[in-house]
PDB file of all heavy atoms in Angstrom:
ATOM      1  N   THR A 219       1.746   0.629 -55.825  1.00 96.00           N
ATOM      2  CA  THR A 219       1.399  -0.246 -56.940  1.00 96.00           C
ATOM      3  C   THR A 219      -0.067  -0.045 -57.303  1.00 96.00           C
ATOM      4  O   THR A 219      -0.873   0.354 -56.466  1.00 96.00           O
ATOM      5  CB  THR A 219       1.570  -1.731 -56.559  1.00 96.00           C
ATOM      6  OG1 THR A 219       0.808  -1.963 -55.379  1.00 96.00           O
ATOM      7  CG2 THR A 219       2.997  -2.098 -56.305  1.00 96.00           C
ATOM      8  N   GLY A 220      -0.407  -0.323 -58.533  1.00 94.00           N
ATOM      9  CA  GLY A 220      -1.801  -0.194 -58.962  1.00 94.00           C
ATOM     10  C   GLY A 220      -1.880   0.085 -60.443  1.00 94.00           C
ATOM     11  O   GLY A 220      -0.872   0.397 -61.083  1.00 94.00           O
ATOM     12  N   SER A 221      -3.083   0.008 -60.995  1.00 93.00           N
ATOM     13  CA  SER A 221      -3.271   0.164 -62.445  1.00 93.00           C
ATOM     14  C   SER A 221      -2.854   1.548 -62.911  1.00 93.00           C
ATOM     15  O   SER A 221      -2.781   2.484 -62.118  1.00 93.00           O
ATOM     16  CB  SER A 221      -4.735  -0.030 -62.814  1.00 93.00           C
ATOM     17  OG  SER A 221      -5.271  -1.130 -62.160  1.00 93.00           O
ATOM     18  N   SER A 222      -2.670   1.644 -64.219  1.00 91.00           N
ATOM     19  CA  SER A 222      -2.298   2.924 -64.811  1.00 91.00           C
ATOM     20  C   SER A 222      -3.466   3.904 -64.682  1.00 91.00           C
ATOM     21  O   SER A 222      -4.620   3.529 -64.877  1.00 91.00           O
ATOM     22  CB  SER A 222      -1.970   2.681 -66.282  1.00 91.00           C
ATOM     23  OG  SER A 222      -1.567   3.884 -66.871  1.00 91.00           O
ATOM     24  N   GLY A 223      -3.158   5.131 -64.307  1.00 91.00           N
ATOM     25  CA  GLY A 223      -4.182   6.165 -64.264  1.00 91.00           C
ATOM     26  C   GLY A 223      -4.916   6.315 -62.937  1.00 91.00           C
ATOM     27  O   GLY A 223      -5.779   7.171 -62.796  1.00 91.00           O
ATOM     28  N   VAL A 224      -4.565   5.481 -61.941  1.00 94.00           N
ATOM     29  CA  VAL A 224      -5.277   5.592 -60.657  1.00 94.00           C
ATOM     30  C   VAL A 224      -4.794   6.802 -59.851  1.00 94.00           C
ATOM     31  O   VAL A 224      -5.450   7.234 -58.905  1.00 94.00           O
ATOM     32  CB  VAL A 224      -5.176   4.310 -59.800  1.00 94.00           C
ATOM     33  CG1 VAL A 224      -5.873   3.150 -60.479  1.00 94.00           C
ATOM     34  CG2 VAL A 224      -3.733   3.960 -59.468  1.00 94.00           C
ATOM     35  N   GLY A 225      -3.620   7.333 -60.219  1.00 94.00           N
ATOM     36  CA  GLY A 225      -3.134   8.538 -59.547  1.00 94.00           C
ATOM     37  C   GLY A 225      -1.962   8.311 -58.603  1.00 94.00           C
ATOM     38  O   GLY A 225      -1.757   9.083 -57.655  1.00 94.00           O
ATOM     39  N   LYS A 226      -1.142   7.302 -58.883  1.00 95.00           N
ATOM     40  CA  LYS A 226       0.006   7.012 -58.010  1.00 95.00           C
ATOM     41  C   LYS A 226       1.011   8.167 -58.014  1.00 95.00           C
ATOM     42  O   LYS A 226       1.414   8.654 -56.952  1.00 95.00           O
ATOM     43  CB  LYS A 226       0.719   5.717 -58.458  1.00 95.00           C
ATOM     44  CG  LYS A 226      -0.139   4.481 -58.396  1.00 95.00           C
ATOM     45  CD  LYS A 226       0.591   3.244 -58.894  1.00 95.00           C
ATOM     46  CE  LYS A 226       0.933   3.268 -60.362  1.00 95.00           C
ATOM     47  NZ  LYS A 226      -0.224   3.299 -61.276  1.00 95.00           N
ATOM     48  N   SER A 227       1.396   8.588 -59.233  1.00 94.00           N
ATOM     49  CA  SER A 227       2.419   9.636 -59.321  1.00 94.00           C
ATOM     50  C   SER A 227       1.876  10.961 -58.782  1.00 94.00           C
ATOM     51  O   SER A 227       2.596  11.702 -58.094  1.00 94.00           O
ATOM     52  CB  SER A 227       2.889   9.807 -60.763  1.00 94.00           C
ATOM     53  OG  SER A 227       3.251   8.561 -61.302  1.00 94.00           O
ATOM     54  N   THR A 228       0.613  11.237 -59.060  1.00 95.00           N
ATOM     55  CA  THR A 228      -0.005  12.465 -58.550  1.00 95.00           C
ATOM     56  C   THR A 228       0.013  12.459 -57.019  1.00 95.00           C
ATOM     57  O   THR A 228       0.345  13.463 -56.386  1.00 95.00           O
ATOM     58  CB  THR A 228      -1.477  12.556 -59.032  1.00 95.00           C
ATOM     59  OG1 THR A 228      -1.506  12.341 -60.441  1.00 95.00           O
ATOM     60  CG2 THR A 228      -2.095  13.886 -58.699  1.00 95.00           C
ATOM     61  N   LEU A 229      -0.305  11.319 -56.443  1.00 97.00           N
ATOM     62  CA  LEU A 229      -0.340  11.206 -54.988  1.00 97.00           C
ATOM     63  C   LEU A 229       1.055  11.391 -54.389  1.00 97.00           C
ATOM     64  O   LEU A 229       1.225  12.088 -53.374  1.00 97.00           O
ATOM     65  CB  LEU A 229      -0.919   9.831 -54.611  1.00 97.00           C
ATOM     66  CG  LEU A 229      -1.083   9.508 -53.135  1.00 97.00           C
ATOM     67  CD1 LEU A 229      -2.002  10.517 -52.448  1.00 97.00           C
ATOM     68  CD2 LEU A 229      -1.658   8.091 -52.952  1.00 97.00           C
ATOM     69  N   ILE A 230       2.056  10.810 -55.027  1.00 96.00           N
ATOM     70  CA  ILE A 230       3.435  10.956 -54.538  1.00 96.00           C
ATOM     71  C   ILE A 230       3.847  12.426 -54.580  1.00 96.00           C
ATOM     72  O   ILE A 230       4.431  12.948 -53.625  1.00 96.00           O
ATOM     73  CB  ILE A 230       4.404  10.062 -55.352  1.00 96.00           C
ATOM     74  CG1 ILE A 230       4.102   8.591 -55.059  1.00 96.00           C
ATOM     75  CG2 ILE A 230       5.871  10.392 -55.040  1.00 96.00           C
ATOM     76  CD1 ILE A 230       4.941   7.585 -55.813  1.00 96.00           C
TER      77      ILE A 230
END
Side-chain angles (χ1 to χ4, degrees):
T219 54
S221 316
S222 182
V224 295
K226 298 178 294 297
S227 309
T228 310
L229 182 59
I230 292 178

